[in-house]
């Protein structure tokens, strides 16, 4: 009877409250568990149906997709070969997660009425590890069309078939038909380039670049381009002074009576001897002289490009003398050159963008001209070309090896235009 009495008597209020809290906690835990399982199942269904892409798996060695916006799938003869996975890893530096991040669905949807349309032309023998980030970077800043005149590694099937899948990229192979067509070029009947004809190595390259630029003018006009720029694949345009870090905005602001825009070049200062990917590996900013890009400006550029994943850091670049106060340039000349005969190791006259118009022609690899008038040109006070000059030791040896010159001072001089190239090529044979 006592037991029955105890079971029927009123419950302690505090005990009732504790029981209610426990029940509420149990129900909340059950609800959250059910919600998590439901969301996980929903995400699985979306991914299984192709509606969700996991960025972490886009560049797995077992994944045969190539950068999106570069075609919806890889070329058949590359993607389905038994060694395609190994080839892809080899091309991108034997890394499942390369430092330069490509995304499967990055696209640049330039409308037909977007102005100005900018094209870049180049003559290259580089591999994908250099060309892909170069293209991606310039697409980010507003370039719409690329004309790639390819030889060597760039013309190999494992490279060119991938480049051909990128929207806006046109590949031109150096075939016998191309050489025969260029042999009929107007340039061959003129005197301004004739001193470079029938000479080896750098002189031959200079002629090829000029002939390719001449063809690219016609191609650019057919593509509806407004501006054309000749750029090497070890150079990046730096549109400083433009809104939103945009090359398109920079050229849009150029007055209509200007025919050519000069980008003074900056030259990289290599501070490490183990650089593998110059565009994505930053050099230490430990050396801060007035002849190099200032730390503040470098950090600003870094911040602008970080959102695109283009550059991890900005390396040290020697400023062009056009962007230096004269007292600074002459006052620090000896310290800057460090015994070299020239301020820069390579060229110092920059690169240029030309407005597409009648009678346009190349004037060497750095300038454009016009058969009917002297072009009206301006030189930019902030924008520049960042030239990654020999950041890897292999860049020096490859230049020497592709020329096949004898290890004599006379033959090296016959092959190379620049004093630095001559000195390096000769010393490497000693």
């Amino acid at each position: 009877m006592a037991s029955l009495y105890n079971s029927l008597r009123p419950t302690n209020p505090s005990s009732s409250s504790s029981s209610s809290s426990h029940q509420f906690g149990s129900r909340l835990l059950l609800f959250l568990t059910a919600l998590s399982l439901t969301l996980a199942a929903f995400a699985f269904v979306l991914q299984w149906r192709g509606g969700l892409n996991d960025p972490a798996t886009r560049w797995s060695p077992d994944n045969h997709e190539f950068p999106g916006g570069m075609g919806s799938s890889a070329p058949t003869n590359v993607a389905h070969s038994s060694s395609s996975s190994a080839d892809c890893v080899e091309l991108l530096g034997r890394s499942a997660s390369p430092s330069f991040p490509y995304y499967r669905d990055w696209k640049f949807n330039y409308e037909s009425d977007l102005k100005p349309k900018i094209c870049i032309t180049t003559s290259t023998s580089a591999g994908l590890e250099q060309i892909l980030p170069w293209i991606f970077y310039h697409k980010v800043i507003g370039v719409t069309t690329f004309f790639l005149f390819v030889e060597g590694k760039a013309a190999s099937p494992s490279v060119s078939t991938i480049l051909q899948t990128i929207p806006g990229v046109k590949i031109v192979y150096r075939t016998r038909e191309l050489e025969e067509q260029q042999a009929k070029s107007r340039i061959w009947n003129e005197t301004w380039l004739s001193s470079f004809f029938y000479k080896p190595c750098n002189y031959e390259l200079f002629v090829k670049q000029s002939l390719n630029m001449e063809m690219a003018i016609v191609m650019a006009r057919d593509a509806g381009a407004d501006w054309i720029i000749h750029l090497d694949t070890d150079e990046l345009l730096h549109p400083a002074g433009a809104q939103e870090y945009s090359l398109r905005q920079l050229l849009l602001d150029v007055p209509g009576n200007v025919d050519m825009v000069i980008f003074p070049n900056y030259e990289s200062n290599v501070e490490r001897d183990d650089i593998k990917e110059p565009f994505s590996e930053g050099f230490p900013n430990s050396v801060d002289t007035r002849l190099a890009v200032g730390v503040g400006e470098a950090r600003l550029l870094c911040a602008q490009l970080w959102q695109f994943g283009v550059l991890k850091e900005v390396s040290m670049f020697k400023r062009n003398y056009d962007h230096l106060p004269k007292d600074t340039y002459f006052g620090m000349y000896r310290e800057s050159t460090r015994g070299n005969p020239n301020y820069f190791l390579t060229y110092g006259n920059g690169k240029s963008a030309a407005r597409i118009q009648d009678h346009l022609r190349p004037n060497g690899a750095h300038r454009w001209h016009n058969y009917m008038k002297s072009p009206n040109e301006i030189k930019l006070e902030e924008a520049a070309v960042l030239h990654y000059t020999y950041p890897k030791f292999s860049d020096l040896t490859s230049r020497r090896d592709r020329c096949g010159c004898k290890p004599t001072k006379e033959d090296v001089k016959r092959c190379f235009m620049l004093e630095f190239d001559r000195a390096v090529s000769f010393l490497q044979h000693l």
Side-chain angles (χ1 to χ4, degrees), residues 8-237:
L8 292 178
R9 68 180 179 178
T11 307
N12 189 317
S14 61
S15 175
S16 176
S17 175
S18 175
S19 175
S20 299
S21 299
H22 179 72
Q23 291 178 1
F24 176 76
S26 299
R27 290 174 181 174
L28 179 61
L29 181 60
L30 180 62
F31 171 76
L32 292 177
T33 303
L35 179 62
S36 300
L37 291 174
T38 303
L39 291 176
F42 181 65
F44 174 77
V45 171
L46 284 180
Q47 188 170 9
W48 177 66
R49 296 181 60 188
L52 184 65
N53 294 313
D54 181 6
T57 63
R58 289 174 185 166
W59 275 98
S60 166
D62 299 324
N63 190 337
H64 302 305
E65 295 174 339
F66 290 96
M70 297 183 173
S72 58
S73 62
T76 303
N77 62 332
V78 175
H80 296 292
S81 66
S82 59
S83 61
S84 62
S85 176
D87 292 342
C88 185
V89 174
E90 174 68 24
L91 290 170
L92 293 171
R94 297 186 178 274
S95 173
S97 55
S99 57
F100 191 92
Y102 300 102
Y103 295 102
R104 178 172 174 269
D105 292 319
W106 63 267
K107 296 180 184 296
F108 301 86
N109 296 318
Y110 296 109
E111 302 295 335
S112 58
D113 59 346
L114 186 63
K115 295 291 183 177
K117 288 188 175 180
I118 307 167
C119 78
I120 285 181
T121 181
T122 189
S123 302
T124 182
S125 58
L128 284 182
E129 73 285 348
Q130 181 169 331
I131 299 177
L132 286 182
W134 179 81
I135 291 176
F136 181 88
Y137 170 86
H138 288 104
K139 275 181 173 282
V140 166
I141 64 174
V143 178
T144 58
T145 309
F146 299 81
F147 301 124
L148 307 184
F149 291 81
V150 296
E151 294 185 70
K153 185 188 291 186
S156 65
S158 61
V159 175
S160 60
T161 51
I162 295 174
L163 295 175
Q164 287 174 331
T165 68
I166 307 175
V169 173
K170 170 67 176 177
I171 301 297
V172 182
Y173 298 93
R174 185 143 203 94
T175 61
R176 181 182 297 274
E177 290 74 18
L178 177 65
E179 292 180 346
E180 291 175 352
Q181 181 180 356
Q182 291 185 339
K184 302 174 183 178
S185 165
R186 181 173 179 174
I187 289 179
W188 283 100
N189 297 319
E190 297 172 346
T191 58
W192 65 271
L193 194 63
S194 60
S195 61
F196 295 89
F197 292 166
Y198 309 113
K199 292 183 179 180
C201 202
N202 279 19
Y203 298 91
E204 180 183 7
L205 174 61
F206 193 76
V207 172
K208 286 181 181 179
Q209 288 176 328
S210 299
L211 293 170
N212 293 342
M213 290 166 68
E214 185 181 44
M215 292 190 67
I217 293 172
V218 179
M219 298 166 67
R221 184 188 293 273
D222 292 342
D226 300 294
W227 291 89
I228 185 170
I229 304 169
H230 177 257
L231 206 66
D232 296 327
T233 54
D234 62 350
E235 298 169 331
L236 300 179
L237 287 171

Side-chain angles (χ1 to χ4, degrees), residues 339-354:
N340 294 324
N342 299 313
Y343 176 66
F344 285 131
L345 296 180
T346 56
Y347 70 90
N349 60 344
K351 290 291 181 76
S352 60

